[in-house]
Amino acid sequence: MLTSRTFLKRTRAGSVMKVVREHYLREDIACGAAACERCGEGEQPCEPRLEAQPSGAASSLCPAPHYLLPDTNVLLHQIDILEDPVITNVIVLQTVLQEVRKRSAPVYKRIRDVIAKPEKHFYSFTNEHHRQTYIEQEQGETSNDRNDRAIRMAVKWYDEHLKKLNNEETIQVILLTNDRSNKEKAVEEGLTAYTCEEYIKSLIANPDLVDRLASVSDEGKDIESGRIIFSEHLPLSKLQQGIKSGVYLQGTFRANRENYLEATVWVHGDAEENKEIIIQGLKNLNRAVHEDIVAVELLAKDEWVAPSSVVLQDEGQNEDDDENEEEKENILKSSINKNMLRPSGRVVGIIKRNWRPFCGMLSKSHIKEARRHLFTPADRRIPRIRIETRQASTLEGQRIIVAIDGWPRNSRYPNGHFVKNLGTAGDKETETEVLLLEHDVPHQPFSQAVLNFLPKMPWSITEEDMKVREDLRYLCVCSVDPPGCTDIDDALHCRELENGNLEAGVHIADVSHFIRPGNALDQESAKRGTTVYLCEKRIDMVPELLSSNLCSLRSNVDRLAFSCIWEMNHNAEILKTRFTKSVINSKASLTYAEAQMRIDSASMKDNITTSLRGLNKLAKLLKKRRIDNGALTLSSPEVRFHIDSETHDPIDLQTKELKETNSMVEEFMLLANISVAKKIHEEFSEHALLRKHPAPPPSNYDILVKAARSKNLEIKTDSAKALADTLDKAESPDFPYLNTLLRILATRCMMQAVYFCSGMDNDFHHYGLASPIYTHFTSPIRRYADIIVHRLLAVAIGADGTYPELTDKHKLADLCKNLNYRHKMAQYAQRASVAFHTQLFFKNKGVVNEEAYILFVRKNAIVVLIPKYGLEGTVFFEEKDKPKPKLSYNDEVPSLTVEKTTFYVFDKVKVNIVLDASNIQHQKIRMGLLEPKILESGVPNQTTELSTNNEPAKKKTKK
């Protein structure tokens, strides 16, 4: 049957066009009930079906067997309930799915995943194309009312349809709706309808499920019964008007990890003025949460504030402690330097919430038998969340997940609900799961749909493959990697040519041969974006069959590669460059130490060693030329753990030692990346995927320049070359570690390197490498950007065909945005893993005395670095319930005077270190200051916290 709707539409040219919309209605759409013989024929047997005898949880409201049919709002807000294994046999209407898809992409994906699980018995019913359940919108009826009526019509049809089954007991259909009007109309029409809360509370054997109910409260009612703390958020229409007229500014809200009363809003758009707005104080923050998109009103200039150097953590238990809050806000306003004032504002409305499920721990209420408790997120940038739970005693000491439901104006904290228990806090598996979830690292096992696109084993190179590739198996190729590396992306060779020149080659795993555009394997790799390396675990971007086997350039096996080969003279000047798809056979898989030993050994003269020596000689020349052009050599302390083979606990911790061979490999990878960047940009000027490193704004260098000046050294920052040259000269014979400290500090001043599409940007320059153009080509097993670059290069040399998405600069720009996010999150997850393993190391150490250097000074704290362990932490000079010492902070020098002892940046101090595990979630490494001694008494024990969210103030430079 066909229904059609006709309407008139005016075109851009001004003419009137008649549009006819046809809507097909069918009678053969199955109800999904396994017991139904009338409409079950012709369906796929594997399709998820409703059980013939629903075996879900027993309900006191509805003891008879029943199916559930939720409306749109229940699906949107109570997805955590619907995902629970207890809830089965649910009918999801097409009307509801379409509305959810429009309103929340993440919830839509989650419900589609639930429908796909056979054990859940969820059935998607196409009610909008069923002749007996489709309804037209009536005149004067809103879309929302029409959809509610369509949902009730579907419930009515199911009720009548299921009565005709030959079951002993008739299966009921229960409408779940939190809409009072919809529920009343359903009851009037003789349907069974409950609110989600009523139904969940009626489940006899599952009282704990109530904790997972989202608290969708009526804010207006809440306000009547309490004091108002925050001003009302303006409606979206007013915000959009204000942004358009310039009254308000739109931007991303970034909470301050060290100070819960301060945040920054990064304003969207290209305007240089007011790019970064400071928000200070609870009322001005106005219920915005980290990463929300907000509208901000600029304050008058006489109300502008300076970024605070005070460290403030929200540790109060009493929600009504306004005086304490005001006292903390006054601390922020005290001792403001007029030169440091920045544009300041207040949040007037929320454009888009970016709430996600948060990991953390329950702070159990001191009130006996209380059901309302505060949840403390692991991420200090997220406010504490109030939840209701009957399981407080069970959940204490556990890592749990909580979701935010809303934040009323009369509440100091947002309201939320319990989602899931992850396990005991401090347990290695639990903590690894937490850091992966907190940094949004996709880490579920690869689905069968993805694995279906892997090559069938046993796999071998075919004659067809050989026809389009150059056979380079005769070359003396070898790989050089860290110990234990199984995902070997790259291999190298060097040989002398007959004409006396040298040939050097970089051979990269041909991952794009196995991952074809658009299939499920490609989509999953694009979503993951990068492999994430934790201290004891690797989260692969591609399945292990590819990462550790077929793509890995292991020794003595034939492998497909993409080769970049240069002809050079003995001064490492490039005479010719060529790119080819190839087949190679690596002659050795070496570690950096093994390769170094071969180069240094006087007795070894085999082909592999000769090749390595040639590569090393060329690499030194390439590096010198790069540094002469202004490339930066920065520093960041990296650590390596020695793990006990039985307990898997760290038993030793050392900073990584870099060898000459590390630099050798790096130089050739950089050269390959630059050569490929030039080639793909030549061929695809509008849609090459490139990587740039923006020059930092001059203000970023303030801390570095001031710190160097305090040691009578001058650092010039007007160009990368000036910075590199002055860093080279900034040495002190009495203080050899000073230069390393300056380079560590310089790293913190850098901007983040990012991927971008050449057609969407004019500035290609890579500041850190002093290169006019750069990309990533050399690690396709672990970076998706490299796979795209391989595809572009393959088209450029005629080795593969193109496809529409590859030459769509807007789609490429969206892809770059996801890759930049995934790389940033992977970096933070890796740091969090190092921080957690460092805590495990100190847990068994007792008290350790070590030398440290001051990296930063704050108003009430100093940040120190312990070179031996690459460990960084904040030493506090003020503590709760302890006498406060006299503190004097000088921003110009910079320095902090505690009583009569003054601390400067780069000062050497001696500390004793011990792990304080009293707060399992935010474990602290306590440091007692041994030297210099604080001259006056009354100074509390200084503590430093090694946060598991160890994100620096400024981003580390990435190549």
Side-chain angles (χ1 to χ4, degrees):
M1 183 182 165
L2 175 73
T3 69
S4 62
R5 203 154 57 91
T6 307
F7 57 94
L8 302 174
K9 180 183 172 185
R10 191 176 290 279
T11 66
R12 281 183 181 176
S15 56
V16 175
M17 183 169 68
K18 186 177 179 182
V19 178
V20 179
R21 287 257 168 91
E22 294 182 338
H23 190 88
Y24 288 87
L25 299 178
R26 295 165 50 179
E27 295 197 25
D28 60 347
I29 295 170
C31 70
C36 182
E37 292 169 6
R38 299 174 66 217
C39 58
E41 290 172 14
E43 288 216 347
Q44 296 297 320
C46 61
E47 192 175 329
R49 301 287 292 273
L50 302 162
E51 288 179 293
Q53 284 298 320
S55 58
S59 163
S60 57
L61 280 175
C62 187
H66 56 270
Y67 298 143
L68 300 174
L69 194 151
D71 73 358
T72 307
N73 282 324
V74 167
L75 210 81
L76 277 169
H77 299 297
Q78 307 294 351
I79 183 69
D80 290 323
I81 290 281
L82 295 171
E83 284 177 329
D84 194 281
V86 168
I87 304 298
T88 57
N89 292 292
V90 176
I91 300 160
V92 183
L93 297 181
Q94 180 190 1
T95 308
V96 172
L97 264 183
Q98 285 172 343
E99 192 62 24
V100 168
R101 188 178 191 173
K102 269 190 239 166
R103 287 166 61 180
S104 173
V107 173
Y108 178 73
K109 186 187 180 304
R110 285 169 73 182
I111 196 64
R112 294 296 323 181
D113 288 347
V114 174
I115 291 168
K117 290 178 182 173
E119 69 275 14
K120 287 285 283 172
H121 301 288
F122 272 50
Y123 182 71
S124 176
F125 178 60
T126 320
N127 65 308
E128 293 290 353
H129 289 278
H130 194 290
R131 193 172 66 82
Q132 291 175 311
T133 57
Y134 173 75
I135 59 165
E136 293 275 1
Q137 187 169 347
E138 293 174 355
Q139 201 167 359
E141 187 178 39
T142 66
S143 299
N144 193 46
D145 288 345
R146 182 261 167 208
N147 287 348
D148 284 348
R149 193 159 57 86
I151 291 167
R152 294 196 300 275
M153 172 63 82
V155 175
K156 196 181 291 181
W157 178 82
Y158 261 105
D159 270 347
E160 289 167 5
H161 183 78
L162 295 175
K163 278 175 189 168
K164 297 168 187 170
L165 300 185
N166 298 324
N167 274 25
E168 292 173 23
E169 275 188 282
T170 302
I171 299 169
Q172 271 187 291
V173 175
I174 297 175
L175 171 62
L176 294 183
T177 177
N178 290 335
D179 183 322
R180 193 182 306 150
S181 162
N182 196 22
K183 185 188 170 193
E184 284 169 2
K185 285 175 184 171
V187 172
E188 278 171 23
E189 292 169 20
L191 307 175
T192 308
Y194 300 118
T195 66
C196 192
E197 190 173 346
E198 285 169 344
Y199 179 76
I200 296 302
K201 284 183 175 176
S202 79
L203 299 181
I204 298 158
N206 303 90
D208 292 346
L209 200 55
V210 175
D211 290 354
R212 301 188 71 180
L213 278 168
S215 57
V216 187
S217 60
D218 186 342
E219 192 173 303
K221 275 191 163 181
D222 288 348
I223 298 302
E224 290 170 22
S225 60
R227 76 207 190 292
I228 295 174
I229 302 173
F230 301 102
S231 57
E232 193 171 357
H233 287 151
L234 296 178
L236 197 56
S237 56
K238 278 196 177 174
L239 295 177
Q240 285 166 338
Q241 271 179 338
I243 290 162
K244 204 172 180 181
S245 63
V247 175
Y248 306 134
L249 296 166
Q250 176 178 323
T252 305
F253 183 90
R254 302 264 165 83
N256 186 328
R257 193 190 300 282
E258 293 185 337
N259 185 343
Y260 76 101
L261 291 174
E262 185 174 286
T264 304
V265 171
W266 289 84
V267 177
H268 301 168
D270 301 323
E272 286 301 312
E273 196 185 9
N274 301 333
K275 192 76 187 158
E276 193 181 328
I277 295 170
I278 291 174
I279 315 287
Q280 228 174 62
L282 206 60
K283 289 181 172 60
N284 288 339
L285 295 170
N286 198 7
R287 298 172 286 157
V289 175
H290 184 64
E291 292 293 344
D292 282 350
I293 308 297
V294 299
V296 174
E297 180 180 49
L298 267 181
L299 298 175
K301 275 202 172 183
D302 59 357
E303 294 181 72
W304 284 12
V305 296
S308 168
S309 296
V310 177
V311 178
L312 285 180
Q313 307 295 354
D314 180 12
E315 289 166 348
Q317 273 288 345
N318 185 357
E319 289 194 37
D320 304 317
D321 197 353
D322 290 341
E323 285 181 21
N324 184 32
E325 219 71 76
E326 282 174 25
E327 186 187 322
K328 286 183 177 178
E329 290 190 17
N330 288 334
I331 293 170
L332 296 184
K333 291 169 187 169
S334 64
S335 65
I336 284 178
N337 182 339
K338 297 287 179 202
N339 300 328
M340 296 294 286
L341 294 179
R342 296 279 184 275
S344 309
R346 67 184 187 95
V347 174
V348 292
I350 309 292
I351 291 160
K352 183 175 179 257
R353 287 289 194 192
N354 270 325
W355 293 343
R356 58 177 175 84
F358 300 104
C359 301
M361 292 181 73
L362 197 70
S363 305
K364 196 178 166 193
S365 171
H366 298 318
I367 303 164
K368 205 178 176 187
E369 301 297 319
R371 283 188 183 176
R372 298 179 95 186
H373 308 271
L374 282 176
F375 161 83
T376 306
D379 187 343
R380 289 200 183 275
R381 294 169 299 188
I382 307 300
R384 299 207 285 169
I385 303 163
R386 196 201 293 110
I387 67 167
E388 286 194 32
T389 177
R390 294 161 176 74
Q391 310 174 64
S393 300
T394 314
L395 296 178
E396 218 176 355
Q398 301 288 297
R399 286 285 202 171
I400 63 173
I401 297 178
V402 162
I404 299 180
D405 300 323
W407 195 340
R409 290 170 60 199
N410 66 331
S411 172
R412 169 67 184 81
Y413 298 109
N415 294 329
H417 66 274
F418 166 74
V419 175
K420 187 181 180 186
N421 185 354
L422 294 172
T424 307
D427 173 75
K428 203 181 294 180
E429 286 300 312
T430 303
E431 294 303 326
T432 301
E433 179 73 7
V434 167
L435 74 86
L436 291 170
L437 288 168
E438 276 300 288
H439 295 96
D440 195 16
V441 174
H443 60 286
Q444 299 307 321
F446 289 98
S447 69
Q448 194 54 50
V450 169
L451 299 176
N452 287 343
F453 284 96
L454 291 174
K456 302 290 177 275
M457 296 301 284
W459 174 86
S460 61
I461 296 168
T462 64
E463 281 183 29
E464 287 300 309
D465 293 329
M466 294 305 297
K467 278 180 192 172
V468 291
R469 291 176 183 273
E470 201 170 323
D471 190 345
L472 301 179
R473 287 175 290 189
Y474 65 91
L475 290 174
C476 187
V477 170
C478 67
S479 62
V480 184
D481 290 282
C485 178
T486 59
D487 52 343
I488 302 170
D489 286 288
D490 53 89
L492 306 111
H493 88 272
C494 180
R495 61 175 182 152
E496 192 159 342
L497 298 173
E498 288 176 3
N499 61 10
N501 290 330
L502 296 171
E503 179 186 87
V506 165
H507 310 275
I508 306 299
D510 190 5
V511 182
S512 63
H513 172 84
F514 297 97
I515 300 180
R516 302 310 294 163
N519 67 24
L521 176 56
D522 183 46
Q523 287 169 4
E524 181 65 21
S525 306
K527 182 184 130 191
R528 294 186 178 218
T530 180
T531 293
V532 181
Y533 296 91
L534 305 180
C535 292
E536 276 191 273
K537 193 173 184 176
R538 189 179 82 199
I539 314 296
D540 281 326
M541 180 185 82
V542 298
E544 195 177 14
L545 178 65
L546 295 183
S547 67
S548 296
N549 186 353
L550 302 186
C551 290
S552 185
L553 304 181
R554 300 185 303 185
S555 55
N556 304 313
V557 286
D558 292 351
R559 286 290 177 256
L560 302 180
F562 211 148
S563 300
C564 177
I565 299 167
W566 304 274
E567 185 178 330
M568 298 181 179
N569 61 23
H570 286 264
N571 291 325
E573 289 163 340
I574 298 166
L575 307 172
K576 277 184 202 164
T577 306
R578 69 187 183 91
F579 308 98
T580 179
K581 290 255 185 171
S582 61
V583 178
I584 64 163
N585 187 302
S586 172
K587 304 301 180 276
S589 300
L590 306 171
T591 65
Y592 290 115
E594 287 166 349
Q596 191 66 54
M597 189 189 72
R598 279 175 174 266
I599 290 168
D600 296 341
S601 167
S603 60
M604 296 187 83
K605 291 185 175 127
D606 58 281
N607 288 344
I608 294 169
T609 307
T610 307
S611 178
L612 286 169
R613 286 184 185 135
L615 289 165
N616 197 39
K617 181 188 155 201
L618 290 171
K620 286 177 181 176
L621 294 166
L622 290 167
K623 185 172 185 176
K624 184 181 181 305
R625 192 174 306 134
R626 215 166 42 78
I627 288 170
D628 289 346
N629 288 338
L632 295 171
T633 309
L634 299 175
S635 182
S636 182
E638 289 190 66
V639 295
R640 180 182 296 286
F641 292 94
H642 294 270
I643 305 289
D644 186 291
S645 58
E646 288 181 16
T647 65
H648 294 284
D649 284 343
I651 49 175
D652 196 12
L653 171 61
Q654 296 170 337
T655 48
K656 286 182 187 173
E657 184 194 344
L658 296 179
K659 300 189 182 299
E660 219 176 54
T661 43
N662 290 76
S663 179
M664 176 189 83
V665 173
E666 183 186 22
E667 285 309 314
F668 278 100
M669 296 308 114
L670 293 176
L671 185 62
N673 287 335
I674 292 167
S675 301
V676 170
K678 287 175 182 169
K679 180 68 179 175
I680 62 171
H681 183 247
E682 246 172 57
E683 196 73 25
F684 305 104
S685 60
E686 285 291 294
H687 36 82
L689 191 155
L690 302 174
R691 187 163 176 83
K692 69 172 180 174
H693 182 215
S699 60
N700 275 29
Y701 287 123
D702 287 352
I703 186 72
L704 174 67
V705 172
K706 284 176 184 176
R709 199 182 297 141
S710 72
K711 298 293 178 195
N712 299 317
L713 294 168
E714 185 187 16
I715 297 290
K716 291 183 179 173
T717 60
D718 39 323
S719 71
K721 174 127 181 77
L723 176 62
D725 290 347
T726 50
L727 278 172
D728 286 343
K729 290 172 190 165
E731 289 187 345
S732 166
D734 311 326
F735 188 0
Y737 197 64
L738 176 63
N739 192 263
T740 304
L741 287 169
L742 282 166
R743 290 182 193 277
I744 289 169
L745 213 50
T747 305
R748 304 296 169 86
C749 300
M750 294 297 138
M751 305 292 284
Q752 184 77 35
V754 290
Y755 296 111
F756 69 101
C757 171
S758 58
M760 306 289 275
D761 209 318
N762 298 320
D763 176 23
F764 293 8
H765 191 73
H766 196 293
Y767 180 82
L769 297 173
S771 174
I773 193 165
Y774 191 66
T775 193
H776 270 164
F777 163 77
T778 55
S779 297
I781 295 177
R782 61 184 178 91
R783 291 189 306 231
Y784 188 75
D786 302 52
I787 293 177
I788 295 293
V789 169
H790 275 229
R791 288 174 183 169
L792 288 165
L793 183 62
V795 176
I797 65 167
D800 205 345
T802 186
Y803 58 99
E805 285 77 12
L806 195 64
T807 53
D808 183 330
K809 64 182 182 183
H810 297 286
K811 286 195 175 161
L812 206 55
D814 288 342
L815 175 68
C816 288
K817 192 176 175 184
N818 178 57
L819 294 179
N820 290 329
Y821 170 73
R822 292 292 177 205
H823 276 259
K824 184 172 72 172
M825 288 296 113
Q827 205 178 334
Y828 295 163
Q830 281 152 240
R831 288 179 200 163
S833 180
V834 168
F836 174 64
H837 279 76
T838 304
Q839 288 169 1
L840 286 180
F841 170 72
F842 281 106
K843 191 177 182 179
N844 307 318
K845 277 283 178 187
V847 181
V848 178
N849 296 345
E850 280 302 335
E851 286 182 344
Y853 293 97
I854 297 173
L855 274 184
F856 305 102
V857 292
R858 307 276 188 240
K859 280 184 182 173
N860 62 346
I862 56 173
V863 179
V864 298
L865 172 75
I866 300 167
K868 182 177 177 182
Y869 300 126
L871 173 66
E872 197 180 305
T874 308
V875 179
F876 297 99
F877 290 106
E878 286 181 336
E879 275 192 48
K880 205 176 168 186
D881 306 325
K882 298 269 178 82
K884 290 188 178 178
K886 186 182 171 190
L887 300 175
S888 174
Y889 173 71
N890 183 339
D891 178 58
E892 281 306 307
V893 176
S895 68
L896 176 68
T897 303
V898 184
E899 296 293 344
K900 293 180 181 176
T901 307
T902 303
F903 296 93
Y904 298 93
V905 175
F906 302 146
D907 275 3
K908 192 180 198 175
V909 293
K910 199 163 187 185
V911 292
N912 61 27
I913 312 161
V914 63
L915 182 73
D916 171 14
S918 57
N919 179 339
I920 301 171
Q921 170 148 274
H922 295 124
Q923 296 196 18
K924 295 175 184 175
I925 290 176
R926 287 195 172 271
M927 292 189 184
L929 199 62
L930 298 178
E931 292 172 19
K933 293 265 188 275
I934 303 292
L935 299 181
E936 296 287 328
S937 59
V939 177
N941 285 334
Q942 290 77 46
T943 65
T944 178
E945 178 184 311
L946 177 66
S947 165
T948 48
N949 292 306
N950 193 7
E951 178 188 342
K954 297 292 174 192
K955 309 293 187 287
K956 175 183 168 184
T957 184
K958 290 290 281 181
K959 291 166 188 165

